[in-house]
Amino acid sequence: MPRLAALIFALLLIPVLGHAQAPEGALKRIKAAKSVAIAHRSDAAPFSFVDESKQMAGYSVDLCRRVVTAIEEQLGAGALQVNWVPVTVDNRFDAVAKGRADLECGSSTVTLGRMKTVDFSSFIFVDGTGLLVKTESGARQLSDLGGKKIGVIPGTTNEKAVNDALKRAVINATVVPVKSRDEGLAQFEAGQIDAFASDRTLLLGLAPKVKDPKSISLLLEDLSFEPYAIVLPRGDDDLRLAVNSALAQIYRSGDIVPIFRRWFSALGKPGVMLEATYILGAIPE
C-alpha cells in the first residue's frame, strides 16, 4: 500500500512538474523586463532597412512598432523598450527560434517548412518572385533567359521558385548563388549575371541604387506566391494572439492605409491579393 500510494502521488505530480518546466511565455518575460527584442534586416528595403539617420525603417518595421504599442496596452505595463537585434537572411529564423529575439520584422515568407522551427503572425504583405533584367536584352519572360545566368540568394524561397520554374518550362539557365541583394545587384550591373531573382517589391527597392534605372526592367511574370508575416517563437500561443490582435486592429481601423502609402505610394493602390490579406486579417474581437 505505501508503494501504491507513492506511485499514485508520483503520477499525479508529473503534470505539475511538466508545467513547472514548460518554457516561459514571451509576454510574461516582456512584461517583467519592460522590453521587447525585435530582429530586423538592414537589407530588405522598403520592408526593413537602416535609413540615412541610422534608424530602423520600413513597412514591416512600422507595423511592428504599432504592434508593440498595442502589446503595451494589452499588458498594461507602461512603455516597453525596443531592443533592435540585427539579423541576416541566413540567421533571421534562428534568432527567434533560439530566443535572441521575440519577433522578426522583415520580408519573411511563410512556408510549411519554416513552421517546423518558428511560427508566424497573420499575413502582412503578399509578393511574388520576380526577375530583374537589362532592358536592352529584350527579355520579356523566363523563356528568354535560356542559356543565361540568373543570380539568387541561396536558401530563400526565391531560389526554389527559380529552380522549379526552370524545371517546369525545361529552360537551360545557370543559377548563380549570391550572398545578398547588394552583391546580386553589383554582379548584375557588372554583367556577371544576366538576371537577378528576388521578391518583386524588394527588387523595386533596389532601383535607387542602380546607376541608370531606365536600363533595368522587371519581367511581367511572377514565379511564386510569397506571403509575408511577422516571425514568432513556435508554440507561444499568447504572443501570437497578442500580435494578431494588434494587426487586426490596424487593418480594421484603416490605419494600414497610411502605412502602405508611406512605403508603396509609387505602386498605387494595393493589389487584389493584398487587399484580401488586409480584409482577412481584420479578425473581429
Side-chain angles (χ1 to χ4, degrees):
M1 288 296 294
R3 290 183 179 179
L4 180 59
L7 178 59
I8 292 174
F9 178 76
L11 291 174
L12 291 173
L13 189 60
I14 288 175
V16 177
L17 291 175
H19 179 74
Q21 294 171 352
E24 184 179 67
L27 284 181
K28 184 176 180 180
R29 185 174 64 254
I30 289 169
K31 184 175 183 179
K34 292 187 178 299
S35 67
V36 56
I38 301 180
H40 74 92
R41 300 268 298 282
S42 61
D43 62 344
F47 296 94
S48 176
F49 64 101
V50 179
D51 64 17
E52 294 178 354
S53 61
K54 306 300 180 184
Q55 298 298 312
M56 304 306 111
Y59 171 84
S60 301
V61 171
D62 278 1
L63 275 179
C64 280
R65 285 196 171 107
R66 292 294 300 272
V67 166
V68 169
T69 299
I71 290 178
E72 289 173 347
E73 296 174 357
Q74 293 175 38
L75 294 178
L80 296 173
Q81 178 183 334
V82 177
N83 298 322
W84 296 99
V85 180
V87 294
T88 65
V89 68
D90 295 319
N91 65 14
R92 52 185 162 159
F93 299 112
D94 279 346
V96 176
K98 295 180 179 179
R100 294 195 299 275
D102 299 305
L103 52 155
E104 187 262 354
C105 301
S107 57
S108 295
T109 300
V110 179
T111 71
L112 294 174
R114 290 170 176 173
M115 286 183 184
K116 295 177 182 178
T117 56
V118 294
D119 207 342
F120 294 92
S121 69
S122 299
F123 294 163
I124 62 171
F125 199 81
V126 178
D127 209 344
T129 296
L131 283 163
L132 195 67
V133 296
K134 294 285 181 64
T135 304
E136 64 182 15
S137 71
R140 295 293 179 268
Q141 54 192 2
L142 184 64
S143 58
D144 294 329
L145 297 179
K148 305 295 185 180
K149 295 180 180 179
I150 303 173
V152 67
I153 300 174
T156 60
T157 50
N158 307 124
E159 180 187 36
K160 184 177 186 305
V162 170
N163 284 323
D164 288 349
L166 291 174
K167 185 177 180 180
R168 281 195 307 269
V170 195
I171 298 171
N172 184 25
T174 303
V175 177
V176 179
V178 297
K179 294 180 180 179
S180 66
R181 264 177 285 279
D182 285 341
E183 180 181 301
L185 181 62
Q187 290 192 21
F188 175 72
E189 289 198 288
Q192 296 173 314
I193 54 177
D194 303 290
F196 179 49
S198 187
D199 293 356
R200 291 182 67 88
T201 308
L202 294 175
L203 291 175
L204 291 172
L206 291 176
K209 299 181 179 181
V210 179
K211 297 175 183 177
D212 180 11
K214 294 182 180 179
S215 68
I216 62 172
S217 301
L218 274 174
L219 295 191
L220 296 177
E221 57 190 312
D222 286 335
L223 304 185
S224 67
F225 167 61
E226 307 284 339
Y228 292 177
I230 297 170
V231 182
L232 303 168
R234 192 168 187 264
D236 195 329
D237 295 337
D238 290 338
L239 178 60
R240 182 177 59 193
L241 177 59
V243 171
N244 284 345
S245 296
L247 290 174
Q249 182 182 17
I250 294 168
Y251 297 159
R252 286 197 312 267
S253 67
D255 288 348
I256 188 62
V257 176
I259 295 175
F260 175 87
R261 286 176 178 167
R262 180 181 182 187
W263 299 106
F264 305 112
S265 58
L267 302 182
K269 292 183 178 181
V272 174
M273 289 294 292
L274 187 54
E275 281 192 346
T277 294
Y278 295 152
I279 292 170
L280 294 173
I283 306 167
E285 291 290 347

